[in-house]
Structures are given as structure tokens and as C-alpha cells.
Amino acid sequence: MSETGGVRPEAGGVREVKSAARTVELLEVLAARGDRPARLQELADELGVPRSSMYALLQTLITRGWVRTDVTGSLYGIGIHALLTGTSYLDSDPCVRVVRPYLDEASQALGETIHMGRLDGRGVAYLATRESHEYLRTISRVGRRLPAHVGALGKALLAERPDAELPEGPYEALTPNTRTTRESLLEDLTEVRARGYSIDREEGVLGIVGFGFALRYDSPAQDAISCSVPVVRLTPEHEAQIVAVMREIRGKIEAVAPAAGGAAQWR
């Protein structure tokens, strides 16, 4: 088979198209770099392909808007078509449409930042955010991805799954408070199940505490909502208010979310 168009067998008899896999891997690498553009040789080395093949692939994606380059043609980043496709995903998802107005309700009731996220492998992708007017963030989380073990959203969803599915550690540490061992995370997930919601005490971002609630319109839950609040504004009374409001919001969402026999069930 040719280097750019070959196929190889995969488990279950499904064959992977090598050129398509390489294109996806390239886009994922560029997306993960964020505001750090890459050079041709960096991309060729990271994906383990010849420089000439990488250059040809980049030029194809540039002409189609999936990759962009600077005026010198030496730096590469993710293109605008990735944004357009991501926006289409959010607009077409029935669960996101259902949840959005309830995020507004929670934000208005609590005055804090409210998120919706979805489990994506070992991470959580942020699908919707309502920012607090009480404090400023430098960037919106929508479209970004964090490891599931570090945040309230991810821990709420991990607790919906058997412990056997939890990978061996050590896990990446984002702050000194991140749980980096399987044993400590398992202890935390046991508490999440008993409590009914997760708590992230500066494990993902220093200075921020999060409260996460799995949305059980799927089994196991794929989506969750959370409330994030600065440590300096979190009192026992405010924490109790957050838990009460978010529990109520979760109940409202689960009562109206698309049933299994309704909209298309994606996998």
C-alpha cells in the first residue's frame, strides 16, 4: 500500500485508513498546542512521518481552511474550519440545547461560573460555560479539554463507572492538590458516590473550588454540570447554597433531557 493512502487491519475486522488517521492526528496535535504554533520539522518528528509527506499534508489542509500558517509559511496552527465544525457539533447536540437555559438559571441563582462537560476518553471536553460576573477568567473553557481526574466534572463522571475502569497511575498533576495516585482517587470517588456529587478543592486550578453533578439521562452518565467558585468567596453557607441549587438544576435537566428512544443515539 502507498504511504499516504494505505489501510491496515484493526481489531474487529475494521480497517483504518492510514492517510485519514494521520490527518486526524495532525489536527489533534495542532489543537493541543493552543497558541503555540508548530514548525514543519516538529510536526514531522512528533507524528513520525517524512518531512515531505508532512509538508504536502499541511498544504492540503491549509487550502481547505483546517490549518493556518504565518506570513513566512514556517509556522502552523489549527485553522478556522475546526472552529466551524466544533460549533456545528454544539448546535446539533440535543443535550447541549436542553442544558443551556438551566446553566443560565444556575448562574443567575448563584452568581458563579457554571459548566457543562462531556467525558472524552480520559478527559472531559467543556461544551458550555456561563461565566461569573464576580471574577474574570483569561479564557473561556468551551472547546477545551482537561484530564478527568483533576476537576469536578470529570470526577463526577468517573464515579459513575466501575473502579476497574480507572487506569493505573501516576496521574498528571495540575496543582499541588491534584490526586496523582489511583488509590487516592479511588478513595475520593467512593466519597463522591456516597455524597452524590464531586468536589474539586483546587485540584485543577489553584484558588478555585468546583462542585460536579453527573447528568444521569445516560447510563453510565456521559455529561455533567459543575459550579466553580473562588476559594476567597466560598463560605459554608454559600457551599450549601451551591449544592442545593445544583441538585435542583440537575433534577430539572434530567426530567426534560432527550429519552433514549428519541433523538439519534451517538457513540
Side-chain angles (χ1 to χ4, degrees), residues 2-3 8-9 18 33 48 83 109 124 137 142 155 163 174 176 200 217 221-222 226 234 256:
S2 70
E3 180 186 41
R8 62 184 179 88
K18 189 174 182 180
R33 293 180 66 93
L83 170 63
V124 170
R137 295 186 59 86
V142 174
K155 292 198 297 180
D163 289 344
L174 297 190
D200 158 23
Y217 44 68
Q222 300 295 319
S226 71
L234 186 61
V256 299

Side-chain angles (χ1 to χ4, degrees), residues 183-201:
E183 292 72 20
S184 64
L185 184 57
L186 284 173
E187 291 177 4
D188 190 21
L189 296 181
T190 298
E191 295 178 4
V192 172
R193 294 177 187 122
R195 191 192 301 121
Y197 60 92
S198 66
I199 305 178
D200 158 23
R201 297 195 185 274

Side-chain angles (χ1 to χ4, degrees), residues 79-229:
I80 195 169
H81 277 209
L83 170 63
L84 300 177
T85 300
T87 300
S88 176
Y89 176 91
L90 295 175
D91 290 343
S92 65
D93 189 280
C95 294
V96 175
R97 289 200 303 270
V98 165
V99 169
R100 279 172 172 160
Y102 294 103
L103 299 185
D104 293 333
E105 182 178 338
S107 179
Q108 292 166 9
L110 296 170
E112 305 296 352
T113 297
I114 312 297
H115 300 294
M116 176 193 183
R118 180 165 294 163
L119 197 64
D120 177 34
R122 295 186 181 180
V124 170
Y126 284 74
L127 303 183
T129 292
R130 298 297 181 265
E131 297 285 357
S132 168
H133 297 299
E134 299 295 331
Y135 66 102
L136 298 177
R137 295 186 59 86
T138 56
I139 54 174
S140 171
R141 284 193 186 274
V142 174
R144 296 186 176 272
R145 188 175 182 273
L146 285 179
H149 69 277
V150 302
L153 289 170
K155 292 198 297 180
L157 292 169
L158 291 178
E160 297 290 306
R161 287 156 173 77
D163 289 344
E165 294 186 10
L166 201 64
E168 296 295 330
Y171 308 137
E172 177 186 6
L174 297 190
T175 78
N177 299 322
T178 303
R179 296 175 185 270
T180 58
T181 68
R182 190 174 189 272
E183 292 72 20
S184 64
L185 184 57
L186 284 173
E187 291 177 4
D188 190 21
L189 296 181
T190 298
E191 295 178 4
V192 172
R193 294 177 187 122
R195 191 192 301 121
Y197 60 92
S198 66
I199 305 178
D200 158 23
R201 297 195 185 274
E202 301 185 81
E203 296 165 41
V205 179
L206 287 175
I208 300 295
V209 177
F211 301 86
F213 298 76
L215 298 174
R216 295 168 179 146
Y217 44 68
D218 287 319
S219 182
Q222 300 295 319
D223 299 342
I225 55 174
S226 71
C227 175
S228 298
V229 56

Side-chain angles (χ1 to χ4, degrees), residues 21-128:
R22 179 174 297 168
T23 301
V24 172
E25 290 169 359
L26 171 60
L27 293 173
E28 289 178 344
V29 167
L30 292 174
R33 293 180 66 93
D35 61 355
R36 298 179 296 110
R39 295 186 180 276
L40 174 60
Q41 193 61 55
E42 289 179 294
L43 296 171
D45 291 343
E46 184 157 354
L47 271 67
V49 301
R51 181 185 174 99
S52 59
S53 298
M54 179 57 63
Y55 180 78
L57 178 55
L58 285 167
Q59 295 308 307
T60 299
L61 293 174
I62 287 170
T63 61
R64 294 178 177 271
W66 284 91
V67 172
R68 59 180 173 174
T69 187
D70 69 334
V71 293
T72 69
S74 59
L75 296 174
Y76 302 93
I78 199 73
I80 195 169
H81 277 209
L83 170 63
L84 300 177
T85 300
T87 300
S88 176
Y89 176 91
L90 295 175
D91 290 343
S92 65
D93 189 280
C95 294
V96 175
R97 289 200 303 270
V98 165
V99 169
R100 279 172 172 160
Y102 294 103
L103 299 185
D104 293 333
E105 182 178 338
S107 179
Q108 292 166 9
L110 296 170
E112 305 296 352
T113 297
I114 312 297
H115 300 294
M116 176 193 183
R118 180 165 294 163
L119 197 64
D120 177 34
R122 295 186 181 180
V124 170
Y126 284 74
L127 303 183

